[in-house]
Amino acid sequence: MTNKITYEFPLNERIRVFIRLEQLFEQFNHFLNGASVWDKRAALNVLLDIMTIFSRNDLKSELLKELDRNGKALNRIAHSQGVDAEKLNQLLGEVSQTSKKLYASSGKIGIHVLESDLFQSIAQRSSIPGGTCSFDLPEFHYWLEQEEPIRLRDLQQWSSPFNDIRNAIDLILNLIRNSSDETREIAKAGFFQISLDRSQPYQLIKVSLDKSLRYFAEISGGKHRCTVRFMVPSHDEKRPLQSSDDVSFTLSCCQF
């Protein structure tokens, strides 16, 4: 386990949505692998959140644009000195294969999930606090009491249309996060400002500090300038305060 805690700050809406989905997919997998009724309830709630994001965004188009941009960026550095040609070709192959899978998918992603009467019922009642009790949805109660292989099969079937999307998001975010080396910085009296080159397509700021330090990083700003404030957590009802100490941390300005 790392002894550092990392705070990320996306610099555009596309990357915000990708990171939110990444977190939801990780949550879904966590609850999918749990065997209790509460795990399966939680997995379904996360799947509903995933579908809500998909209903509001043209994610397939956004992912294809980003993969195309990534492919072009990788090709530009193909002949640069010191580039690992084998690793580069592997990345280009992953980008190309992921794009092909997305292009091959037809129709609105995840729409078939709503063809399940059970899932539709759960989705309709989930907006009501406690609305999926056994007396509200006896069919859902019956499903929750089935053997684990049956519940697991259904959840895997409902989530399968999102697998290619998840793989694409993982690939894109991995390329972005590894596109910049860390630099050691000092936040004077808990404050640090970052000026970004407007000609570079920066997408993500990463701030890392030792877990033993009693601060958390609060990042704000936009694609041209960001500020980092190291705040001392509050242990009462007062708001957290900016540290008066100089704080050592590592910074990555990721673009790709």
Coordinates of all heavy atoms in Angstrom, one line a residue, residues 64-95:
L64 N -14.5 8.1 -28.6 CA -13.8 7.9 -29.9 C -13.0 9.1 -30.2 O -11.9 9.0 -30.8 CB -14.9 7.7 -31.0 CG -15.5 6.3 -30.9 CD1 -16.7 6.2 -31.8 CD2 -14.5 5.2 -31.3
K65 N -13.4 10.3 -29.9 CA -12.7 11.5 -30.2 C -11.4 11.5 -29.3 O -10.3 11.8 -29.9 CB -13.5 12.8 -29.8 CG -14.6 13.1 -30.7 CD -15.4 14.3 -30.1 CE -16.6 14.6 -31.0 NZ -17.4 15.7 -30.4
E66 N -11.5 11.1 -28.1 CA -10.3 11.1 -27.2 C -9.3 10.0 -27.7 O -8.1 10.2 -27.7 CB -10.7 10.8 -25.8 CG -9.6 11.1 -24.8 CD -9.2 12.5 -24.6 OE1 -10.0 13.4 -25.1 OE2 -8.1 12.8 -24.1
L67 N -9.8 8.8 -28.1 CA -8.9 7.8 -28.6 C -8.2 8.2 -29.8 O -7.0 7.9 -30.1 CB -9.7 6.5 -28.8 CG -10.2 5.7 -27.5 CD1 -11.2 4.7 -27.9 CD2 -9.0 5.1 -26.8
D68 N -8.9 8.9 -30.7 CA -8.3 9.4 -32.0 C -7.2 10.4 -31.6 O -6.1 10.3 -32.2 CB -9.4 10.0 -32.8 CG -8.8 10.6 -34.1 OD1 -8.3 9.7 -34.9 OD2 -8.9 11.8 -34.4
R69 N -7.5 11.2 -30.7 CA -6.4 12.2 -30.3 C -5.2 11.5 -29.7 O -4.1 11.9 -29.9 CB -7.0 13.2 -29.3 CG -6.2 14.5 -29.1 CD -6.9 15.3 -28.0 NE -6.8 14.7 -26.7 CZ -5.8 14.7 -25.9 NH1 -4.7 15.3 -26.4 NH2 -5.8 14.1 -24.8
N70 N -5.5 10.5 -28.8 CA -4.4 9.7 -28.2 C -3.6 9.0 -29.3 O -2.3 9.0 -29.2 CB -5.0 8.7 -27.3 CG -5.6 9.3 -26.0 OD1 -6.4 8.6 -25.3 ND2 -5.3 10.5 -25.7
G71 N -4.2 8.4 -30.3 CA -3.5 7.7 -31.3 C -2.6 8.7 -32.1 O -1.4 8.3 -32.4
K72 N -3.1 9.9 -32.4 CA -2.3 10.9 -33.1 C -1.1 11.3 -32.2 O 0.0 11.5 -32.7 CB -3.1 12.1 -33.5 CG -4.1 11.8 -34.6 CD -5.0 12.9 -34.9 CE -6.0 12.6 -36.0 NZ -7.0 13.7 -36.2
A73 N -1.3 11.5 -30.9 CA -0.3 11.9 -30.0 C 0.8 10.8 -29.9 O 2.0 11.1 -29.9 CB -0.8 12.2 -28.7
L74 N 0.4 9.6 -29.9 CA 1.4 8.5 -29.8 C 2.2 8.4 -31.1 O 3.4 8.2 -31.1 CB 0.7 7.2 -29.6 CG 0.1 6.9 -28.2 CD1 -0.8 5.7 -28.1 CD2 1.3 6.8 -27.1
N75 N 1.6 8.6 -32.2 CA 2.3 8.6 -33.5 C 3.3 9.7 -33.7 O 4.3 9.5 -34.3 CB 1.3 8.6 -34.7 CG 0.7 7.2 -35.0 OD1 1.4 6.3 -35.2 ND2 -0.6 7.1 -35.0
R76 N 3.0 10.9 -33.1 CA 3.9 12.0 -33.1 C 5.2 11.7 -32.4 O 6.2 12.3 -32.8 CB 3.2 13.3 -32.6 CG 2.3 13.9 -33.5 CD 2.0 15.4 -33.0 NE 1.3 15.4 -31.7 CZ 0.0 15.4 -31.6 NH1 -0.8 15.2 -32.6 NH2 -0.5 15.4 -30.3
I77 N 5.1 10.9 -31.4 CA 6.4 10.7 -30.6 C 7.1 9.4 -31.0 O 8.1 9.0 -30.4 CB 6.1 10.6 -29.1 CG1 5.2 9.5 -28.7 CG2 5.5 12.0 -28.6 CD1 5.0 9.3 -27.2
A78 N 6.6 8.7 -32.1 CA 7.1 7.4 -32.5 C 8.5 7.4 -32.8 O 9.3 6.5 -32.5 CB 6.3 6.9 -33.6
H79 N 9.0 8.5 -33.4 CA 10.4 8.6 -33.8 C 11.3 9.5 -32.9 O 12.4 9.8 -33.2 CB 10.5 9.1 -35.2 CG 9.7 8.2 -36.2 ND1 10.1 6.9 -36.5 CD2 8.6 8.5 -36.9 CE1 9.2 6.4 -37.4 NE2 8.3 7.4 -37.6
S80 N 10.8 9.8 -31.7 CA 11.5 10.6 -30.8 C 12.6 9.8 -30.1 O 12.5 8.5 -30.0 CB 10.6 11.2 -29.7 OG 9.6 12.0 -30.2
Q81 N 13.7 10.4 -29.8 CA 14.8 9.7 -29.2 C 14.4 9.2 -27.8 O 13.8 9.9 -27.0 CB 16.0 10.7 -29.1 CG 17.3 10.0 -28.6 CD 18.5 11.0 -28.7 OE1 18.3 12.1 -29.0 NE2 19.7 10.5 -28.3
G82 N 14.9 8.0 -27.5 CA 14.6 7.4 -26.2 C 13.3 6.7 -26.0 O 13.0 6.2 -25.0
V83 N 12.5 6.7 -27.1 CA 11.1 6.1 -27.0 C 11.2 4.6 -27.1 O 11.9 4.1 -27.9 CB 10.2 6.6 -28.1 CG1 8.9 5.9 -28.1 CG2 9.9 8.1 -27.9
D84 N 10.5 3.9 -26.2 CA 10.5 2.4 -26.2 C 9.5 2.0 -27.3 O 8.3 2.1 -27.1 CB 10.0 1.9 -24.8 CG 10.1 0.4 -24.7 OD1 10.0 -0.3 -25.8 OD2 10.2 -0.1 -23.6
A85 N 10.1 1.6 -28.4 CA 9.3 1.3 -29.6 C 8.3 0.2 -29.4 O 7.1 0.2 -29.8 CB 10.2 1.0 -30.8
E86 N 8.7 -0.8 -28.6 CA 7.9 -2.0 -28.3 C 6.7 -1.6 -27.5 O 5.5 -2.0 -27.8 CB 8.7 -3.1 -27.6 CG 7.9 -4.4 -27.4 CD 8.7 -5.4 -26.7 OE1 9.9 -5.3 -26.6 OE2 8.1 -6.4 -26.2
K87 N 6.9 -0.8 -26.5 CA 5.8 -0.3 -25.6 C 4.9 0.6 -26.4 O 3.7 0.5 -26.2 CB 6.4 0.4 -24.4 CG 5.3 0.8 -23.4 CD 5.9 1.3 -22.1 CE 4.8 1.7 -21.1 NZ 5.4 2.3 -19.8
L88 N 5.5 1.5 -27.2 CA 4.7 2.4 -28.0 C 3.7 1.6 -28.9 O 2.6 2.0 -29.1 CB 5.6 3.3 -28.8 CG 4.9 4.4 -29.6 CD1 4.0 5.3 -28.8 CD2 5.9 5.2 -30.5
N89 N 4.3 0.6 -29.6 CA 3.5 -0.1 -30.5 C 2.3 -0.9 -29.8 O 1.2 -1.1 -30.3 CB 4.3 -1.1 -31.3 CG 5.2 -0.5 -32.4 OD1 4.8 0.6 -32.9 ND2 6.4 -1.0 -32.7
Q90 N 2.6 -1.3 -28.6 CA 1.6 -2.0 -27.8 C 0.5 -1.1 -27.5 O -0.7 -1.4 -27.6 CB 2.2 -2.6 -26.5 CG 1.2 -3.3 -25.6 CD 1.9 -3.7 -24.3 OE1 3.1 -3.7 -24.1 NE2 1.0 -4.1 -23.3
L91 N 0.8 0.2 -27.1 CA -0.2 1.2 -26.7 C -1.0 1.5 -28.0 O -2.2 1.7 -27.9 CB 0.5 2.4 -26.2 CG 1.0 2.3 -24.7 CD1 1.8 3.6 -24.4 CD2 -0.1 2.1 -23.8
L92 N -0.3 1.7 -29.1 CA -1.1 2.0 -30.4 C -2.0 0.9 -30.7 O -3.1 1.2 -31.2 CB 0.0 2.2 -31.5 CG 0.6 3.6 -31.5 CD1 1.8 3.6 -32.5 CD2 -0.4 4.7 -31.9
G93 N -1.6 -0.3 -30.5 CA -2.5 -1.5 -30.8 C -3.7 -1.5 -29.8 O -4.8 -1.8 -30.3
E94 N -3.5 -1.1 -28.6 CA -4.6 -1.1 -27.6 C -5.6 0.0 -28.0 O -6.8 -0.2 -27.9 CB -4.1 -0.8 -26.2 CG -3.3 -2.0 -25.6 CD -2.8 -1.7 -24.2 OE1 -3.4 -0.9 -23.5 OE2 -1.8 -2.4 -23.8
V95 N -5.1 1.2 -28.4 CA -5.9 2.3 -28.8 C -6.7 1.9 -30.0 O -7.9 2.2 -30.1 CB -5.1 3.6 -29.0 CG1 -5.9 4.7 -29.7 CG2 -4.5 4.1 -27.7

